[in-house]
Amino acid sequence: MNDITCIIQARMSSERLPGKVLRTISDIPLLEYQLTRLRESGLFRVVVATSDLEADQALADYCQQQHHEVFRGNEQNVMKRFYDCARALNLEPTSKIVRLTGDCPLSCPELIVNLNRHYEATSSDYVRIDTDTYPRGVDAELFTFAMLVEANETADTSFEQEHVTPYFYQSDRYRVSHLKNPRGNHASYRLCVDEMADFECVTEVIRNLGDNWATATYEDIIHVLQANPDIANINGTVKQR
């Protein structure tokens, strides 16, 4: 797994829940839950890619204080930010990049491992966790630095540049595949944080995981939601944009 670099895009200027990545649960910032879970696995290099705006200075400062790798780049052209970040890390063309977002505190390392296995088994160019069967909040996308180089040079729409990966999956340039959930369909659950109801739901999940939150598996997380439908219902009406 040491050829995988997880790049987490994060910012402070969320429209619906400003400053959410540093909003705390039990005195721990939301982003720290994600970073700790990924780093505790010991499987990946993990870097936070934020913008060079003054509004994101607090986020960059936090990462530096906690000894997390952080890169600052273009605010609107997130694809260029990813490219500049990967280039600064001296990645090889064949190096694998996993794109994550900083509003997913319960990212699951084992799902990234499974995503990589799926990538290898299917000989795909781009693979993503299937959010028609997995909850939002355990999302991950895998591609190579060589693909990111091409996309950065070629993508010419603001939508592609802002969202990074549509260039890969909305064309016939690449072999695309989705990792589907073998445990059934859990897409009705939400583990990402876009609104206050999401934050409240994730807060209760983390509290129920107790001291094991850093190493809790996907099964552990789903068990909390299945055993406590009142928690799952907290953000049951939130719609993904």
Side-chain angles (χ1 to χ4, degrees):
M1 293 297 116
N2 57 7
D3 64 338
I4 294 178
T5 299
C6 293
I7 300 180
I8 304 173
Q9 67 182 71
R11 60 175 183 156
M12 294 291 285
S13 56
S14 167
E15 292 180 5
R16 287 173 283 178
L17 198 58
K20 64 184 177 182
V21 292
L22 292 185
R23 187 180 286 265
T24 60
I25 300 172
S26 301
D27 297 323
I28 299 173
L30 199 70
L31 182 64
E32 186 63 43
Y33 285 95
Q34 183 179 35
L35 288 166
T36 298
R37 284 176 56 78
L38 293 169
R39 289 180 63 175
E40 283 286 308
S41 73
L43 297 173
F44 327 106
R45 185 176 188 178
V46 183
V47 184
V48 176
T50 191
S51 88
D52 51 15
L53 295 183
E54 180 62 29
D56 288 318
Q57 184 64 52
L59 175 55
D61 289 345
Y62 173 81
C63 290
Q64 291 170 344
Q65 291 162 6
Q66 299 300 316
H67 306 292
H68 298 305
E69 285 193 85
V70 61
F71 176 86
R72 302 186 72 179
N74 194 290
E75 196 264 339
Q76 293 293 331
N77 189 340
V78 186
M79 179 183 287
K80 185 177 190 307
R81 192 196 311 171
F82 265 68
Y83 166 75
D84 289 341
C85 176
R87 185 180 62 178
L89 297 174
N90 295 313
L91 298 188
E92 297 293 332
T94 56
S95 295
K96 299 168 189 172
I97 296 171
V98 168
R99 175 179 175 258
L100 300 167
T101 57
D103 55 4
C104 299
L106 293 170
S107 289
C108 295
E110 76 269 25
L111 294 187
I112 297 174
V113 171
N114 291 344
L115 189 66
N116 181 60
R117 288 173 179 160
H118 184 71
Y119 171 84
E120 299 287 354
T122 59
S123 298
S124 298
D125 297 311
Y126 164 88
V127 293
R128 67 189 303 176
I129 288 177
D130 177 45
T131 51
D132 286 334
T133 55
Y134 278 103
R136 291 280 181 176
V138 297
D139 319 34
E141 303 168 275
L142 188 153
F143 47 90
T144 64
F145 179 47
M147 290 171 58
L148 185 60
V149 171
E150 179 181 340
N152 183 66
E153 293 174 349
T154 308
D156 56 4
T157 71
S158 58
F159 181 80
E160 291 173 330
Q161 292 166 351
E162 179 184 356
H163 297 283
V164 185
T165 54
Y167 181 86
F168 301 141
Y169 63 77
Q170 289 188 346
S171 74
D172 57 3
R173 299 180 186 92
Y174 303 105
R175 291 165 295 180
V176 174
S177 185
H178 296 74
L179 176 66
K180 295 187 180 296
N181 189 348
R183 302 170 180 86
N185 193 319
H186 300 151
S188 62
Y189 298 130
R190 280 181 61 85
L191 294 167
C192 59
V193 178
D194 287 327
E195 302 183 8
M196 182 54 72
D198 294 325
F199 182 79
E200 292 169 354
C201 176
V202 166
T203 296
E204 292 305 315
V205 172
I206 289 172
R207 286 175 177 165
N208 274 265
L209 292 172
D211 294 338
N212 297 321
W213 65 262
T215 56
T217 65
Y218 178 74
E219 290 283 3
D220 295 331
I221 295 165
I222 292 300
H223 175 73
V224 169
L225 293 169
Q226 291 177 333
N228 300 276
D230 54 320
I231 295 176
N233 288 335
I234 292 174
N235 61 348
T237 61
V238 176
K239 301 297 182 183
Q240 182 70 24
R241 288 192 180 182

